Structures are given as structure tokens and as C-alpha cells.
Amino acid sequence: MRLSTWLMALAAAATGSVAVAQPIQQTVNDWRDAFRQLEDEDWPTPNNERRATGAPGHDYWQQQVDYDIDIHLNERTKVLTGSETITYTNNAPDSLDYLWFQLDQNRFRADSIANMTATVGGGGRSSARTGAALPDRISANALRRLDRIQNDGYGHNITAVLDADGNPLEHTIVDTLMRIDLPETLTTGESVTFQIDWNYRLIETQVVGGRAGWECFEDDYENGDCIYQIAQWFPRAVAFTDYEGWTNKAFLGRGEFTLEFGDYDVAITVPQDFIVSASGELQNPEDVLTDEQIERLDEARTADEPVFVVTPDEARENERLGSRSEATWEFRAENVRDFAWAGSRKFIWDAVGVEQDGQGDAPDLVMAMSFYPNESEPLWSSFSTRAVEHTIDVYNEFAFPYPYPTAQSVAGPQGGMEYPMITFNGGTYGRPVVDSDGNLTYSRAAKRGLIGVIIHEIGHIYFPMVVNSDERQWTWMDEGLNSFLQFQAERLWEEDYPVRRGDPHSITSYMVSETQMPIMTQSDSILNFGANAYSKPTIALVVLRETVLGRELFDEAFRTYAERWRFKRPTPYDFFRTMEEVSGVDLDWYWRGWFYSTDHVDISIDSVVEGTFDTENPEIENERERAEFLERPESVTQRRNREQGRGYYADENGEVLDFYSRNDQFTTTNRERERYESTQDDLTDWQRDLLASDDYLYYLTFSNQGGVVMPVIVEFTFADNTTERVYIPAEIWRYNPEQAVWTYLSEKEVVSVELDPDWETADADRSDNYYPPRIQPSRLEVYRSSTSPRPNMMGDLDLTVSSDSLTTTEAQD
């Protein structure tokens, strides 16, 4: 394509005709504004509690709830019995006549909303095969779970609700919630103290599910001892917030928790030979540990590698002996939003001190600790506490110094769950496999799974245990942000660590699927939970960091968000606003595409047009056009005529040859030369230089096939085999979010173009990322056709057919 650079002025002549007014025609099109602002449309209006900058306002408030709890585990009956004294401080500008509490164990009642509304093939547990007109089978495990739910009597039993003087308080239980009516209105700044007594039967985690419970080891090489992981175990105050009031949505099992911060004093009574791990710090080690174990724990504080506090041999000895006596472990946890614990006589315990730059109220030393049975060896002693240590180092860099004195990883039935200072990790996949000869081995997946789940769950102590987002409403705010940081930690663990989620190309199949839902969907309604709440927001943040903002801008904005909302309750809008305000980049288009829509990323390059500059010089341009003409293939008919020896009429009759036969259409005429020379007198120097340029100008046409507007990353390969990469900001789509034509000026000739060469934008279809298009490779598996044998009742009954009749006889042995 030749580009004319000569600008011609167009003179408009007056015609003298009378202008006639025409009616306005309404235009209709499907144009969309991909860069429309979210403020005052999808986002709430800023106020004194939450500012437009994404920071807490000067009137920000949250409640304070303190607990003093005594809890007893009956190992034989698997029943927990507890009593808690609660001090509730009202910091809200509202007066309160009642308080709401969560009774999470009630979701395991047969008549709970969670169980009564469970469906087959929904987003949660599926108990039967679907796809036919009716389900045609059910798994034995699902049937076993249904039986336990129906017959085992799970759920909180509230035995007393008393005021500070021991008088009963009116209370009403609504599924997984309990309302306590106060005898007097609780005004701003006031506190009230009361008591709740309760008990409930623990679930067997691997049968019923859930986030806590028990697991017993009953194989031939085990002795039947159990591990208890206890969470969502006591009546907990429902969050009362500035944006919703009471967050009293029933617990259906998926949308987790939004809670209030407070101080906890907890006394845990268990069999005397149990080792207990819990939120907070142990207050009475002299009552529950040996002198040698106390010395080892102190040694671990300054050790270079994990130290056994309870050795494998001591754990085996505990299992062999057993005990009928009991001991009480006392823990204190300050400024936490929850409390969990675990206990077993099977526990090995190792620990190491992790030094950090303890700013503000963060400690200078954190005790990283792991608790696990001998069945988890050697995986756990090799990797668990090391993974805790690594997580603290990486998350501190991205967020803030770890704010608590302990960080614990506990093995048991729960595959992965987090609480302040304690995490439940691994499940059965975090253990080696015992073969028939008693040998221990573990797979690559088991190692990766264990390291990954520990990083993930310890990371949750930052998000949402400190940055206290509402998990029930916006799961991605803790799972997505935390999985993003987990990806960063895994990429820093070892080279080519086999990450589960984080690289952009891994999300493309979900983003084009029929089950994709907006990230902002409420937790209990999500179909593909892992992809929606974990993977997609993780990759959205990876792309935002690596491609859209760059590391420097992203890291500063993300760290500011974490520090602003440390020990506070952010909403998505606080996160979005902070990222924009601190980075200085408008990102409404990004949030809209990635978080509010079900569109996907797919940008195609439809055409590349190469233009060289028309010099206007007929000597040059005509010769160039002649050369281009001669590059065309010869007429097939003319070529085959010549190959057959056919001659031309003009060759034998020369009189028909004239001026035009001797001069082709590219011959330069005197009139063309005169016209060119006359134009040169009117050109400036820069215009002459431009006309003499040998540069190439390319027009590239891009189409947005997926709907999500994104930066366009273009890599040019030149005729000399060099390359250049250009990052075009997403604003290229501001006029037309469906298609854009973009120009590129180069001194070199381009031979090919590729979009997103490093696969960094989650482009779902790479077949249209090349110009000229590439042949798409495919690996074909060669297989032999096979058919199943037809049913043969006679053969199955061991019958034979007589050779001379159609009667059957039983086959002889």
C-alpha cells in the first residue's frame, strides 16, 4: 500500500440553493462504554466511615467482643461442653436492643437450611450422578453422610443464656443464628457482660465434611488414637457493620465468616496425655509440658532450624500408654477475630523462631510451629514449619509484619482451614503412602499439595484474619487476594515450582465456560467455587501487577490497602479505590471486565497493512509500480500458450505495434515530471524529508473477541530477525471496545506479528494471535476400535448348545 502525504485543500462553492430542515433521525447501535465509571453506579457513595480514597474515614468504627471460655472434650462420647462469658462493647453510633450470635454447628442439623436446600449437581456437594432424566446412582460416601446427618443429632445445644447476675436472658434460635434480647438498651460506648452454656457432638470430618471434627487412625499398623481439630465450636458474635448492620445471613457451608475482634482467655480440658495447639500463647506450660519440653521450646526460639518440642518417640509413647486423667491447657489470644484449637496424643511438635522487623505492635520474633502424627512423616518434619517460615517472609514483604506471636500448622482430617495463629492443613493427601511391605513413599503431588496448602492457610492469617473482610459476602476478598500472595510465595520457593493457580493461561478454560460467574457473586451461589473465588481473582491480580500497572505501582498500592485495613473490615470498594488512588491509574474498566462480567480475554489480530511513503516523484513511483506489477504471477493461459509453442499475432504482423506497444502504463511522461517539479517548490524541508523517507507505516486491525478490554501486547519480528515488543494501553478500546485500528511506524520491514507472546493476559484463543496466521499443531493419538462383548446369558450360566439340536445342556466339569 502506497501512502500519499500530499494534503489537498477542498474549496466549497456556494450554490445559492435554499437549505431545508430535515427531521432528526434517531440512531440505534450496540455500542458500550467499557470505560464507564463505577462511582455512584455500582459502588456505594463514600461517607465518613469509608472515604472515596479507599481509606477508613474519621468516623470509622467496629465492635469489640471479648471471650472467657472453659471447654471440655469427652474423648469417649466425642462431645464438647463449654461455658463462655462474653463482654460486648458497642462502638457503633446505633443503640442495640438485641445481639446476634452464630451457631455454626447447626448447619449439620437435619432440618437446617443448608441440608434442606441441598441439591444434586449444584455448586456444592453432589451426591448423585446427573445428566440423565433422573439421577441413577448415589455414592456410598454420600449415603453414609446423609445417614449421619439424619440420625446422629448434630448441632449446638444451648443449655443457658444468663446475664451477669445469673438471670436468664430471652433468646431465639433461627437456623445457624441466635438472637439474645438485652434487658436494657446498649447505647454507644457501653458494654454488657453475659454467659452462654452449650454442648454439641463433634462430627467425623471425613464422613460428614465441614471445617472441623475428628479423625481416628484404625488401620492395622495404627492403634485407633484420634486427632481433634476444633473450629466454629462456640457461639460467636455476628458482625455488626456500618455497611449492612447485622450480617445475619445463615451459614450454608460455603460462605464463611465475618467476625468481630476481641481478646480471648480459653481453658481447654482434655486427656492428660494430649498435646494441644491453639490460637494465642500457652499460659501454663509448667502444668502441661515436661521440663525438657519447655527447654526445647525455649531453644527453638533462637535455633537455625526447627527443633522437636515433642519428639516422634514421645508421640509414639503417648499413643502406647494412653491416660484416663485430664489436664487443662490455658491460652490467651489478643486482638483476634476467632479462636480454634486442636488436640491429640499422637502429635509430634516442632518449632523455630522467625525474626522479623516488628513495626508497631508486631513482635520481633514469631514462633513457627507444626503439630502432626508419625503417619505424616517424613513430609511434615521436612516441609511444614519451613513453609510457615517462608510464608511469613513473603507476606511481610507484600503486606505488613506478621502481627501475632505464633503461627501454627496442624495436621489432621481437615484439608485446609485457617484461624488466628493456627491452621489445619493437609488432610490425608499430606501424608506418605504405606505399601504392603510397610515402606513409606510420597508423590510429587503430595509434596506440592502440602507446601501449597500450608502457604495458603498461613497466608489467611493476614487475609482475612487481620484484614477482616466479609467472607460470607465476598469470598474473593480473602481467597483471591490470599491465593495471589500464595502464588508469589510458591514462585519464590524453588525454580519451576508446580503451582496450582496463578499463571494467566491456566484460567482461560473457565473464562470461556458456561459455568463462569462474576467474581462479585455471593459465595453460596457460585457454581465453580475454586475457579471463581480463587483462581480468577488470583490471575486478575497477577495480570494487574505484571502487565497493567507494573510491579512498583501495584506493590505500593497493595501494601497501602493491607496496612490501611489491618485489624479493620474492608469492602471490595475500599480495595478498588485504594488501588486506583495510590497507583494513579483509573482501573474501572479492569474491575468491570474481570470482576463484574462473565466476558473473557480474546484479542485477535485481523489484518496488517504495510504502507511505504509515496515520494510523488514519477521516476521513482512508476518504476516501483512496474516492479510490483511484474511480481504478479503470469496469466496461466498466456504461460501455457507459450509452453505449447503458440505465437502472437503481433509478432507476425508488426504493423499492429504502436506507441503503446512499446511503452507500458508505467512509462513516465513529461507532464508528470512537470507536475512533480511544480509541487516541490511549495514543500518545506521537513515535508521533503518525509517524502524521501524509507520508513514503513503499518496499520494493524485488532478485534476484541472476548469482551474484556485489555492492553494489547504486540511483538514485531523484522526482516533482519530482530524483534520489538510494544505495550498498547487498554485505552485503545475507548472509542470502540470491539475493534481498533492502530498505526506503527518502523525503519525496518516487519515480517510477522504476534499478540501476547508471553501468555500474560489470559487470552483464551491464541490461534488468532499471529499475523500471518500459523498452522495450529495437534497431537493425534492412534487407537484401535474396540467393542464390548454382547451380553450372553447362556455363557454366563455356563450352558452349552447341542450340535444336533437347539436344546441346551449344562456344561460338564
Side-chain angles (χ1 to χ4, degrees):
M1 176 181 179
R2 301 293 291 160
L3 304 175
S4 176
T5 60
W6 186 248
L7 304 178
M8 299 181 64
L10 299 179
T15 64
S17 58
V18 178
V20 178
Q22 298 294 325
I24 297 175
Q25 298 297 317
Q26 177 65 47
T27 59
V28 178
N29 59 45
D30 57 358
W31 182 81
R32 64 185 176 95
D33 184 0
F35 292 83
R36 188 173 72 255
Q37 295 297 286
L38 291 162
E39 290 286 0
D40 296 324
E41 181 178 327
D42 294 283
W43 293 358
T45 302
N47 52 43
N48 289 338
E49 285 86 9
R50 298 172 188 275
R51 308 306 296 154
T53 61
H58 54 80
D59 289 339
Y60 177 83
W61 57 268
Q62 60 190 29
Q63 309 291 57
Q64 170 86 14
V65 188
D66 302 323
Y67 299 82
D68 192 327
I69 307 176
D70 291 303
I71 190 71
H72 176 268
L73 168 65
N74 187 316
E75 186 180 17
R76 182 181 62 83
T77 64
K78 304 292 191 289
V79 170
L80 281 181
T81 302
S83 178
E84 63 183 3
T85 299
I86 301 164
T87 300
Y88 190 104
T89 301
N90 181 19
N91 295 318
D94 306 280
S95 296
L96 303 176
D97 295 318
Y98 51 83
L99 306 176
W100 282 98
F101 278 75
Q102 301 185 56
L103 305 179
D104 300 313
Q105 293 301 315
N106 280 5
R107 86 167 174 102
F108 299 110
R109 291 172 55 93
D111 61 352
S112 70
I113 294 176
N115 285 316
M116 293 297 292
T117 61
T119 58
V120 174
R125 180 184 302 272
S126 180
S127 59
R129 184 175 66 178
T130 59
L134 292 173
D136 59 3
R137 66 181 182 182
I138 185 171
S139 72
N141 287 337
L143 193 60
R144 185 185 184 196
R145 180 182 188 274
L146 288 172
D147 178 71
R148 289 285 184 92
I149 293 292
Q150 291 291 331
N151 299 311
D152 281 14
Y154 296 129
H156 273 108
N157 300 308
I158 303 300
T159 57
V161 181
L162 309 172
D163 66 16
D165 297 324
N167 300 311
L169 292 175
E170 292 291 331
H171 60 280
T172 303
I173 295 177
V174 183
D175 198 59
T176 60
L177 299 169
M178 177 174 67
R179 191 188 73 227
I180 299 176
D181 298 326
L182 300 176
E184 297 180 2
T185 298
L186 187 64
T187 61
T188 303
E190 290 186 336
S191 299
V192 62
T193 299
F194 52 95
Q195 176 182 326
I196 303 176
D197 297 340
W198 80 97
N199 64 72
Y200 73 90
R201 184 178 182 184
L202 291 168
I203 63 171
E204 184 177 0
T205 309
Q206 293 179 351
V207 175
V208 179
R211 292 164 173 77
W214 55 272
E215 173 196 13
C216 293
F217 293 69
E218 298 174 346
D219 289 338
D220 293 339
Y221 58 90
E222 299 163 336
N223 63 6
D225 281 317
C226 306
I227 292 176
Y228 298 86
Q229 292 179 325
I230 311 300
Q232 291 94 61
W233 54 283
F234 61 98
R236 303 178 296 172
V238 170
F240 186 72
T241 72
D242 62 279
Y243 59 84
E244 189 176 354
W246 290 108
T247 56
N248 53 359
K249 187 181 189 329
F251 181 37
L252 303 182
R254 170 170 288 171
E256 291 179 341
F257 317 107
T258 177
L259 301 162
E260 305 287 7
F261 286 105
D263 298 334
Y264 287 72
D265 289 291
V266 181
I268 303 170
T269 300
V270 293
Q272 187 272 332
D273 53 0
F274 267 37
I275 296 297
V276 175
S277 167
S279 300
E281 288 186 289
L282 180 62
Q283 302 297 295
N284 63 332
E286 67 283 352
D287 296 333
V288 293
L289 300 178
T290 66
D291 291 342
E292 187 175 4
Q293 289 168 345
I294 293 173
E295 290 177 2
R296 295 174 192 155
L297 184 58
D298 186 62
E299 175 191 347
R301 297 178 63 86
T302 56
D304 294 329
E305 58 186 24
V307 173
F308 284 117
V309 179
V310 176
T311 68
D313 289 341
E314 289 171 337
R316 290 192 189 93
E317 187 71 9
N318 276 346
E319 295 180 60
R320 188 179 66 82
L321 294 176
S323 175
R324 294 186 178 181
S325 58
E326 295 182 327
T328 298
W329 294 61
E330 298 175 0
F331 291 89
R332 179 167 178 78
E334 297 179 352
N335 203 18
V336 295
R337 71 171 216 164
D338 201 358
F339 191 101
W341 59 279
S344 177
R345 61 177 55 87
K346 296 179 69 66
F347 278 156
I348 302 166
W349 175 4
D350 71 46
V352 72
V354 179
E355 295 182 351
Q356 65 173 6
D357 183 10
Q359 304 171 8
D361 55 359
D364 293 326
L365 184 76
V366 178
M367 290 301 293
M369 303 188 289
S370 296
F371 300 77
Y372 47 93
N374 275 284
E375 286 81 358
S376 295
E377 283 290 74
L379 268 172
W380 274 70
S381 63
S382 299
F383 301 115
S384 178
T385 300
R386 294 293 198 182
V388 175
E389 177 184 30
H390 176 64
T391 305
I392 292 172
D393 289 340
V394 175
Y395 278 61
N396 283 5
E397 177 184 347
F398 278 88
F400 43 74
Y402 185 85
Y404 296 124
T406 64
Q408 302 163 73
S409 171
V410 182
Q414 173 52 238
M417 195 59 202
E418 74 283 354
Y419 305 94
M421 292 178 261
I422 184 174
T423 61
F424 300 159
N425 299 314
T428 56
Y429 66 77
R431 298 173 190 158
V433 177
V434 182
D435 64 20
S436 58
D437 297 325
N439 299 316
L440 289 175
T441 61
Y442 59 84
S443 66
R444 184 188 308 274
K447 174 189 172 181
R448 180 204 64 80
L450 179 63
I451 294 171
V453 74
I454 292 174
I455 291 173
H456 184 87
E457 304 307 337
I458 291 294
H460 268 313
I461 300 177
Y462 294 79
F463 303 90
M465 295 300 142
V466 176
V467 180
N468 185 24
S469 58
D470 184 343
E471 299 176 86
R472 189 153 302 174
Q473 181 64 36
W474 302 293
T475 297
W476 70 267
M477 287 197 72
D478 71 289
E479 297 297 355
L481 269 62
N482 181 49
S483 295
F484 162 73
L485 293 181
Q486 175 191 349
F487 174 68
Q488 306 304 324
E490 288 174 337
R491 280 284 171 245
L492 293 170
W493 177 266
E494 65 179 325
E495 187 175 4
D496 294 328
Y497 181 86
V499 299
R500 181 180 180 185
R501 55 176 67 95
D503 288 318
H505 66 83
S506 65
I507 197 62
T508 57
S509 60
Y510 172 67
M511 291 184 70
V512 299
S513 71
E514 294 182 355
T515 60
Q516 186 191 188
M517 306 176 81
I519 290 176
M520 291 291 286
T521 303
Q522 193 272 331
S523 300
D524 295 305
S525 299
I526 297 171
L527 288 176
N528 193 330
F529 196 65
N532 179 278
Y534 293 70
S535 298
K536 187 178 176 183
T538 294
I539 290 167
L541 295 178
V542 170
V543 174
L544 188 62
R545 181 178 190 243
E546 302 289 4
T547 304
V548 177
L549 292 180
R551 291 190 169 193
E552 182 178 357
L553 290 179
F554 178 94
D555 291 354
E556 180 64 23
F558 190 90
R559 190 179 303 108
T560 299
Y561 164 76
E563 291 173 346
R564 279 178 173 178
W565 292 98
R566 180 175 176 266
F567 294 113
K568 294 182 176 67
R569 180 177 288 111
T571 66
Y573 324 108
D574 301 313
F575 175 74
F576 295 149
R577 286 167 169 151
T578 296
M579 295 302 292
E580 292 191 17
E581 289 289 323
V582 178
S583 70
V585 178
D586 173 59
L587 295 169
D588 289 48
W589 59 272
Y590 195 79
W591 313 131
R592 188 184 301 280
W594 278 86
F595 288 78
Y596 285 88
S597 83
T598 56
D599 293 337
H600 62 278
V601 180
D602 180 13
I603 298 173
S604 67
I605 181 164
D606 301 335
S607 66
V608 178
V609 176
E610 180 185 89
T612 54
F613 293 105
D614 190 338
T615 65
E616 308 289 345
N617 187 336
E619 301 287 358
I620 296 175
E621 297 307 319
N622 288 350
E623 187 59 37
R624 182 176 292 177
E625 289 179 13
R626 177 183 287 114
E628 291 174 355
F629 179 83
L630 293 176
E631 288 179 358
R632 299 177 184 179
E634 182 183 9
S635 164
V636 173
T637 299
Q638 177 173 285
R639 175 171 57 82
R640 288 178 177 171
N641 285 344
R642 185 179 66 254
E643 291 171 350
Q644 291 180 351
R646 303 292 299 271
Y648 296 105
Y649 177 84
D651 291 344
E652 297 178 0
N653 301 275
E655 63 275 12
V656 302
L657 298 174
D658 66 354
F659 171 83
Y660 292 105
S661 302
R662 293 185 293 273
N663 296 275
D664 62 18
Q665 66 266 40
F666 306 111
T667 300
T668 302
T669 67
N670 292 333
R671 181 66 57 85
E672 289 175 326
R673 294 187 183 96
E674 291 171 359
R675 188 183 305 116
Y676 170 71
E677 291 173 357
S678 66
T679 61
Q680 294 302 299
D681 295 336
D682 298 328
L683 296 180
T684 62
D685 290 341
W686 70 265
Q687 289 173 329
R688 291 192 184 91
D689 292 340
L690 180 61
L691 290 175
S693 172
D694 292 330
D695 289 349
Y696 298 85
L697 184 65
Y698 293 92
Y699 289 94
L700 289 78
T701 300
F702 306 117
S703 289
N704 182 1
Q705 306 282 355
V708 176
V709 296
M710 287 289 288
V712 182
I713 306 170
V714 188
E715 183 170 87
F716 295 95
T717 300
F718 302 105
D720 62 2
N721 290 324
T722 61
T723 61
E724 181 185 7
R725 190 170 300 184
V726 179
Y727 285 76
I728 307 171
E731 281 75 9
I732 187 178
W733 306 104
R734 67 189 182 278
Y735 299 120
N736 182 352
E738 311 303 330
Q739 189 177 75
V741 180
W742 182 76
T743 57
Y744 174 71
L745 183 65
S746 174
E747 296 178 353
K748 301 178 182 181
E749 180 184 2
V750 173
V751 295
S752 66
V753 178
E754 180 179 357
L755 302 186
D756 191 17
D758 287 342
W759 300 13
E760 58 184 288
T761 65
D763 194 302
D765 181 6
R766 289 195 50 79
S767 67
D768 54 16
N769 283 25
Y770 308 97
Y771 203 89
R774 291 184 181 178
I775 296 175
Q776 297 300 305
S778 176
R779 296 285 291 172
L780 302 178
E781 178 183 356
V782 179
Y783 65 93
R784 292 183 298 172
S785 299
S786 61
T787 57
S788 301
R790 295 179 178 180
N792 183 348
M793 182 182 293
M794 292 176 60
D796 293 343
L797 289 173
D798 217 14
L799 301 178
T800 63
V801 179
S802 173
S803 60
D804 56 358
S805 73
L806 296 179
T807 59
T808 61
T809 58
E810 293 188 8
Q812 301 297 311
D813 292 337

